[in-house]
Amino acid sequence: MFSYCLRRTLAAVPVMVVVALFVFLLLRLSPGDPAAIIAGDMATPAQLDRIRETLGLNQPIYLQFFHWAGELLRGDFGTSLMSNLPVTQLMAQRLEPTVSLALLSIVLSVVVAVPMGVIAAWKHGSLIDNAVMSVSVLGFSVPVFVIGYLLIKVFAIDLGWLPVQGFKRISEAGFGPFIRHAILPALMLSTIYIALIARMTRASMLDVLGEDFVRTAHAKGASETRVLFKHALRNAGVPILEVIGTGFALMITGVVVTESVFNIPGLGRLTVDAILSRDYPVIQGLILVTSGVYVLINLAIDLSYALLDPRIRYQ
Protein backbone atom coordinates (compact mmCIF):
# COMPACT_ATOMS: atom_id res chain seq x y z
CA MET A 1 0.00 0.00 0.00
CA PHE A 2 2.78 2.43 0.89
CA SER A 3 4.61 1.84 -2.39
CA TYR A 4 1.36 2.36 -4.30
CA CYS A 5 0.70 5.64 -2.46
CA LEU A 6 4.23 6.78 -3.23
CA ARG A 7 3.93 5.90 -6.92
CA ARG A 8 0.60 7.68 -7.26
CA THR A 9 1.93 10.75 -5.47
CA LEU A 10 5.01 10.90 -7.68
CA ALA A 11 2.84 10.39 -10.78
CA ALA A 12 0.90 13.52 -9.84
CA VAL A 13 4.04 15.68 -10.04
CA PRO A 14 4.38 15.70 -13.86
CA VAL A 15 0.64 16.26 -14.13
CA MET A 16 0.92 19.41 -12.04
CA VAL A 17 3.97 20.55 -14.05
CA VAL A 18 2.03 20.20 -17.30
CA VAL A 19 -0.94 22.05 -15.78
CA ALA A 20 1.34 24.87 -14.61
CA LEU A 21 2.97 25.18 -18.04
CA PHE A 22 -0.40 25.14 -19.80
CA VAL A 23 -1.87 27.79 -17.51
CA PHE A 24 1.17 30.02 -17.85
CA LEU A 25 1.23 29.85 -21.65
CA LEU A 26 -2.54 30.17 -22.01
CA LEU A 27 -2.63 33.41 -20.07
CA ARG A 28 0.59 34.89 -21.42
CA LEU A 29 -0.21 34.22 -25.08
CA SER A 30 -3.81 35.40 -24.93
CA PRO A 31 -4.55 38.91 -26.23
CA GLY A 32 -4.45 41.86 -23.84
CA ASP A 33 -1.87 43.76 -21.81
CA PRO A 34 -1.93 43.63 -17.99
CA ALA A 35 0.14 46.83 -17.87
CA ALA A 36 -2.54 48.70 -19.79
CA ILE A 37 -5.23 47.38 -17.44
CA ILE A 38 -3.28 48.48 -14.36
CA ALA A 39 -2.31 51.91 -15.71
CA GLY A 40 -5.68 52.80 -17.20
CA ASP A 41 -6.67 54.40 -20.49
CA MET A 42 -4.78 57.64 -19.89
CA ALA A 43 -1.36 56.04 -19.32
CA THR A 44 1.61 57.14 -21.38
CA PRO A 45 3.93 54.69 -23.19
CA ALA A 46 6.66 55.45 -20.65
CA GLN A 47 4.37 54.53 -17.77
CA LEU A 48 3.39 51.28 -19.50
CA ASP A 49 7.05 50.39 -20.04
CA ARG A 50 7.83 50.97 -16.36
CA ILE A 51 4.93 48.73 -15.29
CA ARG A 52 6.00 45.98 -17.71
CA GLU A 53 9.54 46.17 -16.35
CA THR A 54 8.29 45.98 -12.76
CA LEU A 55 6.15 42.94 -13.53
CA GLY A 56 8.84 41.30 -15.66
CA LEU A 57 6.58 41.27 -18.73
CA ASN A 58 9.36 42.60 -20.96
CA GLN A 59 11.49 39.52 -20.34
CA PRO A 60 11.52 36.49 -22.66
CA ILE A 61 8.60 34.22 -21.91
CA TYR A 62 10.80 31.30 -20.82
CA LEU A 63 12.50 33.50 -18.21
CA GLN A 64 9.07 34.61 -16.97
CA PHE A 65 8.07 30.96 -16.58
CA PHE A 66 11.20 29.92 -14.67
CA HIS A 67 10.87 32.93 -12.36
CA TRP A 68 7.20 32.16 -11.74
CA ALA A 69 7.88 28.43 -11.18
CA GLY A 70 10.62 29.25 -8.67
CA GLU A 71 8.22 31.39 -6.68
CA LEU A 72 5.65 28.58 -6.74
CA LEU A 73 8.14 26.16 -5.22
CA ARG A 74 8.52 28.62 -2.32
CA GLY A 75 4.75 28.74 -1.86
CA ASP A 76 4.44 32.22 -3.35
CA PHE A 77 1.59 32.52 -5.86
CA GLY A 78 2.41 36.15 -6.53
CA THR A 79 0.57 39.41 -5.91
CA SER A 80 -2.76 40.44 -7.39
CA LEU A 81 -2.44 43.04 -10.11
CA MET A 82 -5.71 44.69 -9.09
CA SER A 83 -5.75 44.68 -5.27
CA ASN A 84 -1.98 44.48 -4.71
CA LEU A 85 -2.60 41.75 -2.11
CA PRO A 86 -0.92 38.33 -2.02
CA VAL A 87 -2.86 35.73 -4.02
CA THR A 88 -2.75 33.29 -1.08
CA GLN A 89 -4.42 35.91 1.12
CA LEU A 90 -7.18 36.52 -1.43
CA MET A 91 -7.86 32.80 -1.78
CA ALA A 92 -7.83 32.27 1.98
CA GLN A 93 -10.45 35.03 2.40
CA ARG A 94 -12.75 33.33 -0.13
CA LEU A 95 -12.06 29.71 0.82
CA GLU A 96 -14.65 29.15 3.56
CA PRO A 97 -17.79 29.97 1.51
CA THR A 98 -16.72 27.72 -1.36
CA VAL A 99 -15.60 24.75 0.72
CA SER A 100 -18.60 24.89 3.06
CA LEU A 101 -20.99 25.13 0.10
CA ALA A 102 -19.29 22.21 -1.67
CA LEU A 103 -19.32 20.04 1.47
CA LEU A 104 -22.98 20.79 2.14
CA SER A 105 -23.84 20.02 -1.49
CA ILE A 106 -22.00 16.70 -1.60
CA VAL A 107 -23.52 15.59 1.73
CA LEU A 108 -26.98 16.51 0.45
CA SER A 109 -26.29 14.69 -2.83
CA VAL A 110 -25.15 11.49 -1.12
CA VAL A 111 -27.92 11.46 1.48
CA VAL A 112 -30.59 11.89 -1.20
CA ALA A 113 -29.13 10.06 -4.20
CA VAL A 114 -27.80 6.83 -2.69
CA PRO A 115 -31.14 5.76 -1.11
CA MET A 116 -32.88 6.79 -4.35
CA GLY A 117 -30.60 4.54 -6.39
CA VAL A 118 -30.87 1.62 -3.95
CA ILE A 119 -34.67 1.77 -3.87
CA ALA A 120 -34.84 2.13 -7.67
CA ALA A 121 -32.70 -1.00 -8.09
CA TRP A 122 -34.72 -2.89 -5.46
CA LYS A 123 -37.98 -1.96 -7.21
CA HIS A 124 -36.52 -2.41 -10.69
CA GLY A 125 -39.12 -1.90 -13.42
CA SER A 126 -41.73 -0.50 -11.03
CA LEU A 127 -43.31 2.94 -10.87
CA ILE A 128 -40.75 3.96 -8.21
CA ASP A 129 -37.88 2.99 -10.50
CA ASN A 130 -39.36 4.96 -13.38
CA ALA A 131 -39.93 7.97 -11.14
CA VAL A 132 -36.32 7.96 -9.90
CA MET A 133 -34.98 7.69 -13.45
CA SER A 134 -37.28 10.50 -14.60
CA VAL A 135 -36.00 12.75 -11.83
CA SER A 136 -32.43 11.85 -12.81
CA VAL A 137 -33.02 12.72 -16.46
CA LEU A 138 -34.59 16.01 -15.39
CA GLY A 139 -31.61 16.78 -13.19
CA PHE A 140 -29.25 16.23 -16.12
CA SER A 141 -31.35 18.18 -18.61
CA VAL A 142 -32.23 21.43 -16.82
CA PRO A 143 -29.37 23.97 -16.59
CA VAL A 144 -28.29 24.64 -13.02
CA PHE A 145 -28.83 28.40 -13.26
CA VAL A 146 -32.44 27.81 -14.28
CA ILE A 147 -32.92 25.63 -11.20
CA GLY A 148 -31.30 28.35 -9.09
CA TYR A 149 -33.64 31.06 -10.31
CA LEU A 150 -36.66 28.77 -9.84
CA LEU A 151 -35.60 28.08 -6.25
CA ILE A 152 -35.21 31.81 -5.61
CA LYS A 153 -38.61 32.52 -7.16
CA VAL A 154 -40.45 29.89 -5.11
CA PHE A 155 -38.72 29.80 -1.71
CA ALA A 156 -37.30 33.32 -1.43
CA ILE A 157 -39.71 35.60 -3.31
CA ASP A 158 -43.10 33.83 -3.30
CA LEU A 159 -42.94 32.06 0.06
CA GLY A 160 -40.37 34.32 1.74
CA TRP A 161 -38.87 31.44 3.69
CA LEU A 162 -35.24 31.99 2.73
CA PRO A 163 -33.03 34.94 1.74
CA VAL A 164 -32.63 35.72 -1.95
CA GLN A 165 -28.86 36.17 -1.97
CA GLY A 166 -25.83 36.52 0.28
CA PHE A 167 -23.85 34.26 2.55
CA LYS A 168 -23.23 33.93 6.29
CA ARG A 169 -20.01 32.35 7.46
CA ILE A 170 -20.56 29.57 9.95
CA SER A 171 -17.48 30.75 11.87
CA GLU A 172 -19.05 34.19 12.39
CA ALA A 173 -22.85 33.87 12.33
CA GLY A 174 -23.35 30.31 13.55
CA PHE A 175 -24.95 27.24 12.01
CA GLY A 176 -28.54 28.51 11.74
CA PRO A 177 -27.89 31.62 9.62
CA PHE A 178 -25.37 29.67 7.58
CA ILE A 179 -27.95 27.00 6.66
CA ARG A 180 -30.63 29.60 5.82
CA HIS A 181 -28.30 31.27 3.31
CA ALA A 182 -26.61 28.10 2.01
CA ILE A 183 -29.51 25.68 1.51
CA LEU A 184 -30.74 27.14 -1.80
CA PRO A 185 -27.25 27.34 -3.36
CA ALA A 186 -26.57 23.80 -2.13
CA LEU A 187 -29.80 22.54 -3.71
CA MET A 188 -28.90 24.23 -6.98
CA LEU A 189 -25.36 22.89 -6.99
CA SER A 190 -26.30 19.35 -5.96
CA THR A 191 -29.10 18.78 -8.50
CA ILE A 192 -26.95 17.33 -11.26
CA TYR A 193 -24.90 15.28 -8.77
CA ILE A 194 -28.02 13.80 -7.23
CA ALA A 195 -29.02 12.64 -10.72
CA LEU A 196 -25.53 11.29 -11.46
CA ILE A 197 -25.06 9.45 -8.15
CA ALA A 198 -28.60 8.02 -8.22
CA ARG A 199 -28.11 6.57 -11.70
CA MET A 200 -24.72 5.09 -10.84
CA THR A 201 -26.05 3.61 -7.56
CA ARG A 202 -28.97 2.01 -9.37
CA ALA A 203 -26.75 0.52 -12.08
CA SER A 204 -24.22 -0.84 -9.57
CA MET A 205 -26.90 -2.28 -7.31
CA LEU A 206 -28.58 -4.03 -10.24
CA ASP A 207 -25.30 -5.80 -11.01
CA VAL A 208 -24.89 -6.92 -7.39
CA LEU A 209 -28.46 -7.93 -6.47
CA GLY A 210 -28.27 -10.97 -8.75
CA GLU A 211 -25.13 -12.34 -7.09
CA ASP A 212 -25.08 -15.55 -5.05
CA PHE A 213 -24.12 -13.89 -1.76
CA VAL A 214 -27.31 -11.78 -1.90
CA ARG A 215 -29.45 -14.91 -2.27
CA THR A 216 -27.47 -16.51 0.55
CA ALA A 217 -28.17 -13.52 2.81
CA HIS A 218 -31.87 -13.81 2.03
CA ALA A 219 -31.78 -17.56 2.72
CA LYS A 220 -30.22 -16.94 6.13
CA GLY A 221 -33.18 -14.72 7.04
CA ALA A 222 -31.52 -11.32 6.83
CA SER A 223 -33.94 -8.44 6.55
CA GLU A 224 -34.37 -6.64 3.23
CA THR A 225 -32.85 -3.46 4.63
CA ARG A 226 -29.78 -5.33 5.90
CA VAL A 227 -29.34 -7.12 2.58
CA LEU A 228 -29.64 -3.91 0.57
CA PHE A 229 -27.56 -1.51 2.64
CA LYS A 230 -25.04 -3.82 4.35
CA HIS A 231 -24.32 -6.58 1.85
CA ALA A 232 -25.31 -5.30 -1.58
CA LEU A 233 -24.44 -1.61 -1.23
CA ARG A 234 -20.99 -2.28 0.16
CA ASN A 235 -20.11 -4.53 -2.76
CA ALA A 236 -21.53 -2.01 -5.20
CA GLY A 237 -19.71 0.86 -3.51
CA VAL A 238 -16.54 1.17 -5.62
CA PRO A 239 -18.09 2.83 -8.72
CA ILE A 240 -20.43 4.85 -6.48
CA LEU A 241 -17.49 6.14 -4.45
CA GLU A 242 -15.66 7.08 -7.63
CA VAL A 243 -18.62 9.12 -8.85
CA ILE A 244 -19.00 10.80 -5.44
CA GLY A 245 -15.31 11.73 -5.31
CA THR A 246 -15.25 12.99 -8.87
CA GLY A 247 -18.44 14.96 -8.21
CA PHE A 248 -16.87 16.65 -5.19
CA ALA A 249 -13.81 17.59 -7.21
CA LEU A 250 -16.00 19.02 -9.96
CA MET A 251 -18.07 20.92 -7.42
CA ILE A 252 -15.01 22.96 -6.49
CA THR A 253 -14.93 24.22 -10.08
CA GLY A 254 -18.69 24.24 -10.57
CA VAL A 255 -19.43 26.79 -7.88
CA VAL A 256 -18.72 29.66 -10.30
CA VAL A 257 -22.30 29.78 -11.58
CA THR A 258 -23.83 29.14 -8.16
CA GLU A 259 -21.84 31.88 -6.45
CA SER A 260 -22.70 34.29 -9.24
CA VAL A 261 -26.44 33.57 -9.00
CA PHE A 262 -26.56 33.86 -5.20
CA ASN A 263 -23.89 36.57 -4.81
CA ILE A 264 -21.63 34.43 -2.62
CA PRO A 265 -18.10 35.81 -2.04
CA GLY A 266 -16.25 32.57 -2.71
CA LEU A 267 -13.53 31.29 -4.99
CA GLY A 268 -15.95 31.12 -7.91
CA ARG A 269 -16.68 34.83 -7.77
CA LEU A 270 -12.98 35.51 -7.31
CA THR A 271 -12.30 33.52 -10.49
CA VAL A 272 -14.84 35.51 -12.50
CA ASP A 273 -13.50 38.84 -11.22
CA ALA A 274 -9.90 37.81 -11.96
CA ILE A 275 -10.74 36.73 -15.51
CA LEU A 276 -12.63 39.94 -16.29
CA SER A 277 -9.74 42.07 -15.01
CA ARG A 278 -7.04 39.78 -16.49
CA ASP A 279 -5.43 39.39 -13.08
CA TYR A 280 -2.84 36.79 -14.13
CA PRO A 281 -1.46 35.78 -10.71
CA VAL A 282 -4.93 35.20 -9.24
CA ILE A 283 -6.10 33.15 -12.24
CA GLN A 284 -2.96 31.03 -12.18
CA GLY A 285 -3.18 30.44 -8.45
CA LEU A 286 -6.85 29.42 -8.60
CA ILE A 287 -6.33 26.98 -11.46
CA LEU A 288 -3.30 25.38 -9.81
CA VAL A 289 -5.05 25.00 -6.44
CA THR A 290 -8.14 23.53 -8.11
CA SER A 291 -6.00 21.09 -10.10
CA GLY A 292 -4.14 20.05 -6.95
CA VAL A 293 -7.40 19.41 -5.10
CA TYR A 294 -8.66 17.33 -8.01
CA VAL A 295 -5.50 15.20 -8.05
CA LEU A 296 -5.60 14.67 -4.26
CA ILE A 297 -9.26 13.66 -4.28
CA ASN A 298 -8.67 11.13 -7.04
CA LEU A 299 -5.74 9.71 -5.07
CA ALA A 300 -7.92 9.41 -1.96
CA ILE A 301 -10.61 7.65 -4.00
CA ASP A 302 -8.14 5.08 -5.33
CA LEU A 303 -6.81 4.35 -1.85
CA SER A 304 -10.28 3.95 -0.39
CA TYR A 305 -11.24 1.19 -2.83
CA ALA A 306 -9.59 -1.44 -0.64
CA LEU A 307 -11.71 -0.38 2.33
CA LEU A 308 -14.93 -1.13 0.45
CA ASP A 309 -13.78 -4.20 -1.45
CA PRO A 310 -11.34 -6.50 0.41
CA ARG A 311 -10.56 -8.25 -2.89
CA ILE A 312 -8.66 -5.14 -4.02
CA ARG A 313 -5.04 -5.14 -2.92
CA TYR A 314 -2.23 -2.85 -4.02
CA GLN A 315 1.25 -4.18 -4.53
Side-chain angles (χ1 to χ4, degrees):
M1 176 68 81
F2 176 76
S3 61
Y4 176 79
C5 296
L6 183 60
R7 289 198 306 271
R8 285 303 309 271
T9 303
L10 293 177
V13 174
V15 174
M16 294 304 300
V17 172
V18 172
V19 169
L21 180 60
F22 175 77
V23 171
F24 180 85
L25 293 177
L26 179 66
L27 295 177
R28 287 301 191 279
L29 299 179
S30 58
D33 187 358
I37 296 175
I38 296 173
D41 297 333
M42 306 301 294
T44 64
Q47 291 174 328
L48 294 177
D49 289 338
R50 283 197 299 271
I51 294 175
R52 293 190 188 100
E53 183 176 357
T54 302
L55 298 176
L57 298 176
N58 56 352
Q59 297 178 351
I61 193 166
Y62 68 91
L63 290 180
Q64 294 183 43
F65 175 75
F66 286 127
H67 176 71
W68 176 68
E71 292 180 340
L72 283 182
L73 293 176
R74 295 191 297 268
D76 183 6
F77 287 89
T79 303
S80 170
L81 301 180
M82 296 293 104
S83 64
N84 203 32
L85 293 174
V87 174
T88 51
Q89 180 180 340
L90 289 175
M91 290 192 294
Q93 293 172 350
R94 305 291 190 96
L95 184 63
E96 182 181 346
T98 298
V99 173
S100 58
L101 179 59
L103 287 175
L104 179 60
S105 299
I106 199 66
V107 169
L108 181 63
S109 300
V110 172
V111 169
V112 173
V114 171
M116 283 176 58
V118 171
I119 294 173
W122 178 40
K123 299 294 185 180
H124 177 58
S126 67
L127 182 62
I128 296 177
D129 184 22
N130 294 331
V132 170
M133 290 301 97
S134 298
V135 171
S136 298
V137 171
L138 190 64
F140 278 119
S141 305
V142 181
V144 290
F145 67 88
V146 173
I147 295 175
Y149 287 125
L150 287 175
L151 291 173
I152 291 174
K153 177 68 168 58
V154 174
F155 294 102
I157 297 176
D158 293 343
L159 298 177
W161 292 351
L162 299 168
V164 176
Q165 290 182 329
F167 184 82
K168 295 292 185 182
R169 297 175 183 268
I170 191 172
S171 58
E172 298 175 355
F175 187 73
F178 162 75
I179 285 294
R180 290 192 70 251
H181 285 80
I183 188 63
L184 289 185
L187 285 172
M188 171 184 167
L189 186 59
S190 62
T191 300
I192 188 171
Y193 299 105
I194 290 175
L196 178 63
I197 295 171
R199 289 176 67 90
M200 179 56 70
T201 303
R202 175 182 179 273
S204 299
M205 288 291 293
L206 285 176
D207 291 338
V208 170
L209 287 177
E211 297 290 338
D212 291 338
F213 70 88
V214 174
R215 289 191 289 269
T216 302
H218 280 298
K220 289 182 176 180
S223 65
E224 198 69 45
T225 302
R226 183 178 179 84
V227 171
L228 287 174
F229 287 96
K230 179 176 175 58
H231 298 285
L233 183 59
R234 181 175 181 180
N235 285 272
V238 170
I240 299 172
L241 181 64
E242 183 176 0
V243 170
I244 293 173
T246 304
F248 181 75
L250 293 176
M251 276 185 180
I252 301 297
T253 60
V255 295
V256 174
V257 176
T258 303
E259 291 181 355
S260 299
V261 170
F262 288 93
N263 194 28
I264 297 174
L267 294 177
R269 285 287 303 278
L270 180 61
T271 303
V272 174
D273 295 341
I275 292 174
L276 292 177
S277 61
R278 298 188 62 80
D279 198 337
Y280 288 157
V282 176
I283 299 172
Q284 291 168 337
L286 287 167
I287 294 177
L288 287 174
V289 168
T290 303
S291 302
V293 169
Y294 191 87
V295 170
L296 289 176
I297 289 177
N298 278 282
L299 176 60
I301 293 170
D302 288 345
L303 298 180
S304 63
Y305 287 164
L307 299 177
L308 288 176
D309 193 343
R311 295 169 297 180
I312 298 177
R313 289 293 181 266
Y314 300 112
Q315 302 299 327

